[in-house]
Amino acid sequence: MAVVAGAAALGARSARSHVITFDGVTKRYADGTVAVNDLHLEIPTGEITVLVGPSGCGKTTSLRMVNRMIDASEGKILLDGVDVQTIDPPTLRRGIGYVIQQAGLFPHRKIVDNVATVPYLLGWDKRKARTRAMELLERVGLDAGLAERYPFQLSGGQQQRVGVARALAADPPVLLMDEPFSAVDPVVRADLQDELIRLQNELNKTIVFVTHDIDEAVKLGDRVAVLRVGGTLAQVDDPETMLARPADDFVREFLGGDRGIRRLSFVPADLPLRGDLTVPIDAEVSEAAGAAASSAVSWLAVVDGEGRPRGWVSTEGLPPAGKVADLRLLPYGTFEVNGGSLRSALDAALLAPSGCAIAVDADGKVAGVATREELARATAKVAADGAAQPAPAEQAAQSEQAVPAEGAGRG
Amino acid sequence: MNWLIEFFTDPANWSGSSGIPVRLLEHLEFSAAALLLSVLIAVPLGLWVGHTGKGALFVVVSANAARALPTLGLLVLIVLLMGVGTTLPVLIPLVALAVPPILVNTYEGIRGVEHDLRDAAYGMGLRGGQVLLRVLVPVALPLILLGVRVAAIQVVATATVAAYVGLGGLGRYIIDGLATKDFPSTIGGAVLVALLALAVQLMFTLLGRMVVSPGVRPAVRERLKAG
Ligand SMILES: Nc1ncnc2c1ncn2[C@@H]1O[C@H](COP(=O)(O)OP(=O)(O)O)[C@@H](O)[C@H]1O
Ligand SMILES: [Mg+2]
């Protein structure tokens, strides 16, 4: 047993390597600006820690002190327990991936050579470095055909992917990312965020990610650190806890009025489902009318032969005869019955004139219908849970929450 | 036109110590020596100042001052001080002429490289010298080459002044022609100088194709963007 326990402890220790520790770090610029003030922060291994806060709160400064692009004025930054100040900057930086907002690709080098920058610096054989670069291009979702192009021939989103590939090329355990997706349009940004989450699931890097966008922070962060202007830490928590229990008014305000809605992303859609509110698409209109009457509802979800949703029908003013298939099908939304969030169920309800959300299983087959009454009840319950501890201002903000679900019902 | 034909078809102009081949070679010698010397002075200095930011004011001010120097005046002064006989009196004013455009373009080219790019290069772990040679120079190369080309054309055109102080080169046809009212010679000399300047221009265009990455070559960028 002792041996096993020892091995486990060893495993735990090596798993905890690549920790970054800010130990009372202060940065005072030459002009007297205090950008970071006595920062204590532990960045755990294998997770994405997001530094978020308004512009000028010292996020970039904090990040750049890790790879010594900026040196701290006071305090220490430890990487695996080693003070970064004791490591020669270029050597330190070759072991840490760094991604910046404008990608910063070398315009005179082909994409493949851009990605291979650090391997070349580390003296890898050219063939090996290029092979590695090609692997990484594929990893970040870029076509191999782009390898021989120059940066100016790529779109902003593609360049940003190359930036990520370049940072990963020498397989560094730590990745620093400074607003890497801020300069691309929202659709591309969402793609890049999803891609990062997917990559991180495979790679388990220790990532420090800087953004001013709270939505991005909540989406990407395993942990979120909110900084306030003056460079002090306001709160560090996992996003769910932070949204539920902001430490103070500054954090609450920064999270914004729709904090409650965001929080619903972390609440599973544990909703009672109705099985009697569906009708097969090949049924007679009279059957639909009967079903609606017996359930006392005016909407039914239409399901096709394979069990997939097709839309909603209104059972008011139905023609006397005919097939359901000939009726006008109205838009619908779905959420996954296992693992879907309350937020996704609410979004699904908002898409439908019935105000109800269709639950589907992993194969996309209809599992039942969540009514708008149930959605409103579940949302109100989350709001009440959240309001249990914090201030009254809080409750007012939260009770507004229930409104969208009911509003959708009227639509 | 007739004068030109007269000049270029006269067999005497094609042989001997005052023939076109010899004069052309002399001209090229002064020019090449002056340009080489200027590049050796101005490029390292421009790189250093552009990279470190030290002495930038000095560079700009002295380059502008040097531009204001009258080449011919300088030449006469130097000859008065040093006497004739060597090519040095000719090289000094030509170098003074060629250094400013090379120095300023090199400095501006390096200094003008986007901050993000420099930042990314350091962030990847390149050392100062590697940042300069592997990133800044290749990116600034079109501007640096432009500076050298401007300098080369000025030098080739201005090397005619060598004739004023009794040295050879294509200037002899112009100066001697004017002195003896031999207009075919003057015009022929001027045309030769112009042709030489064109050849220099062409040479630099080819050089640019060889050494500048397509990723930073303005013409390539425009073409590929459009296509
Ligand atoms: N080189 C510098 N010299 C002086 N002040 C600076 C410098 N860089 C940043 N600052 C100041 O430090 C503060 C924090 O900057 P920064 O870390 O870039 O913030 P963020 O990335 O959160 O927007 C700001 O007030 C900024 O103006
Ligand atoms: Mg910043």
Side-chain angles (χ1 to χ4, degrees):
Chain A
M1 276 324 271
V3 175
V4 175
L10 201 69
R13 193 173 331 125
S14 69
R16 280 203 67 78
S17 62
H18 322 311
V19 153
I20 303 166
T21 311
F22 287 82
D23 186 6
V25 174
T26 295
K27 175 64 193 184
R28 200 173 295 107
Y29 283 109
D31 64 357
T33 311
V34 176
V36 178
N37 194 359
D38 194 27
L39 179 63
H40 290 269
L41 179 63
E42 179 102 343
I43 291 175
T45 179
E47 289 189 0
I48 301 182
T49 299
V50 179
L51 303 184
V52 66
S55 170
C57 70
K59 306 177 295 288
T60 295
T61 305
S62 302
L63 189 80
R64 286 162 66 88
M65 286 190 289
V66 175
N67 64 356
R68 293 194 61 192
M69 292 295 282
I70 297 174
D71 280 328
S73 314
E74 284 162 37
K76 272 186 195 163
I77 294 175
L78 306 175
L79 193 64
D80 295 340
V82 179
D83 186 347
V84 295
Q85 214 61 43
T86 62
I87 310 171
D88 156 62
T91 311
L92 176 72
R93 292 172 194 152
R94 287 171 198 182
I96 297 178
Y98 186 44
V99 187
I100 57 176
Q101 191 184 96
Q102 299 293 349
L105 300 182
F106 300 157
H108 60 294
R109 291 206 180 153
K110 291 178 176 172
I111 297 304
V112 60
D113 294 318
N114 261 287
V115 176
T117 303
V118 179
Y120 288 156
L121 282 175
L122 294 173
W124 291 23
D125 160 80
K126 184 155 180 167
R127 277 253 304 278
K128 184 178 157 210
R130 286 186 141 235
T131 311
R132 170 75 182 154
M134 295 304 292
E135 262 170 50
L136 277 162
L137 285 178
E138 197 190 317
R139 259 232 143 104
V140 300
L142 286 175
D143 194 274
L146 299 179
E148 298 296 315
R149 298 213 184 159
Y150 287 93
F152 77 92
Q153 295 169 284
L154 269 55
S155 69
Q158 287 172 326
Q159 292 193 21
Q160 216 52 50
R161 283 172 197 263
V162 176
V164 173
R166 178 173 68 172
L168 289 170
D171 205 20
V174 174
L175 220 55
L176 307 178
M177 308 180 83
D178 192 354
E179 310 234 9
F181 308 147
S182 299
V184 294
D185 68 72
V187 176
V188 176
R189 189 182 314 150
D191 276 355
L192 290 167
Q193 291 165 345
D194 293 339
E195 192 83 21
L196 182 66
I197 292 171
R198 192 185 57 70
L199 265 176
Q200 172 66 352
N201 286 337
E202 296 170 14
L203 302 174
N204 289 307
K205 301 286 182 192
T206 303
I207 299 178
V208 191
F209 190 105
V210 162
T211 180
H212 62 267
D213 174 0
I214 184 65
D215 285 310
E216 187 167 64
V218 166
K219 179 172 177 184
L220 296 176
D222 295 306
R223 299 209 322 150
V224 176
V226 180
L227 300 177
R228 64 175 108 233
V229 175
T232 54
L233 190 58
Q235 184 172 3
V236 199
D237 257 313
D238 59 273
E240 188 181 347
T241 310
M242 183 167 295
L243 289 167
R245 289 191 289 279
D248 59 19
D249 286 342
F250 170 79
V251 177
R252 184 173 305 120
E253 201 166 301
F254 188 70
L255 294 173
D258 45 357
R259 167 169 66 89
I261 298 261
R262 276 195 208 104
R263 234 179 97 208
L264 297 177
S265 304
F266 297 96
V267 178
D270 233 347
L271 297 159
L273 299 179
R274 297 267 301 259
D276 58 337
L277 302 186
T278 59
V279 61
I281 195 159
D282 54 3
E284 295 291 335
V285 167
S286 56
E287 289 176 57
S294 69
S295 303
V297 292
S298 53
W299 298 96
L300 289 174
V302 179
V303 177
D304 68 15
E306 288 168 8
R308 290 179 211 285
R310 295 295 297 272
W312 289 96
V313 287
S314 167
T315 54
E316 279 165 6
L318 285 174
K323 292 277 197 187
V324 169
D326 301 326
L327 298 173
R328 196 157 78 90
L329 295 181
L330 299 165
Y332 68 99
T334 64
F335 67 99
E336 270 216 51
V337 71
N338 291 316
S341 65
L342 192 50
R343 170 79 189 265
S344 67
L346 273 180
D347 287 345
L350 280 167
L351 289 172
S354 64
C356 302
I358 301 177
V360 295
D361 62 17
D363 298 328
K365 297 196 167 133
V366 175
V369 168
T371 62
R372 68 188 227 218
E373 290 77 18
E374 291 297 346
L375 283 164
R377 193 169 301 137
T379 316
K381 183 167 172 299
V382 173
D385 289 352
Q389 56 282 52
E394 175 78 350
Q395 289 181 12
Q398 301 244 326
S399 50
E400 282 163 21
Q401 268 345 282
V403 174
E406 294 184 342
R410 268 179 252 124
Chain B
M1 210 55 212
N2 289 336
W3 285 342
L4 267 186
I5 294 167
E6 191 181 316
F7 177 74
F8 284 109
T9 52
D10 184 351
N13 281 340
W14 288 99
S15 61
S17 64
S18 63
I20 292 173
V22 173
R23 291 283 183 233
L24 189 64
L25 212 63
E26 284 168 351
H27 200 95
L28 283 175
E29 268 171 32
F30 299 145
S31 305
L35 191 66
L36 188 70
L37 212 58
S38 307
V39 166
L40 288 179
I41 295 167
V43 170
L45 189 61
L47 292 181
W48 186 77
V49 173
H51 190 38
T52 62
K54 287 175 191 153
L57 191 66
F58 168 78
V59 161
V60 174
V61 169
S62 56
N64 280 333
R67 272 179 177 158
L69 285 178
T71 304
L72 191 56
L74 192 61
L75 178 64
V76 171
L77 184 68
I78 291 166
V79 169
L80 287 178
L81 290 175
M82 297 176 48
V84 271
T86 63
T87 51
L88 200 62
V90 183
L91 285 188
I92 291 174
L94 289 182
V95 168
L97 183 73
V99 162
I102 303 176
L103 182 59
V104 169
N105 271 40
T106 305
Y107 157 72
E108 293 281 1
I110 297 294
R111 202 193 56 143
V113 173
E114 272 176 61
H115 177 264
D116 279 341
L117 195 56
R118 220 179 259 254
D119 203 62
Y122 281 110
M124 296 292 109
L126 276 78
R127 293 179 191 278
Q130 291 171 324
V131 173
L132 178 64
L133 296 178
R134 297 191 192 182
V135 181
L136 303 184
V137 170
V139 173
L141 202 53
L143 260 183
I144 299 176
L145 274 182
L146 177 66
V148 179
R149 188 181 81 193
V150 168
I153 289 171
Q154 285 188 1
V155 165
V156 161
T158 314
T160 45
V161 298
Y164 276 109
V165 290
L167 289 164
L170 297 174
R172 301 252 28 149
Y173 295 120
I174 301 174
I175 306 283
D176 296 352
L178 281 174
T180 60
K181 296 214 168 17
D182 178 0
F183 295 118
S185 165
T186 301
I187 297 211
V191 166
L192 280 174
V193 170
L195 286 177
L196 195 56
L198 272 180
V200 167
Q201 174 101 18
L202 188 69
M203 196 194 77
F204 273 93
T205 305
L206 294 177
L207 186 66
R209 290 225 180 118
M210 271 158 30
V211 299
V212 176
S213 157
V216 292
R217 220 183 289 151
V220 174
R221 291 182 63 125
E222 286 315 309
R223 183 154 44 82
L224 290 178
K225 253 184 201 157

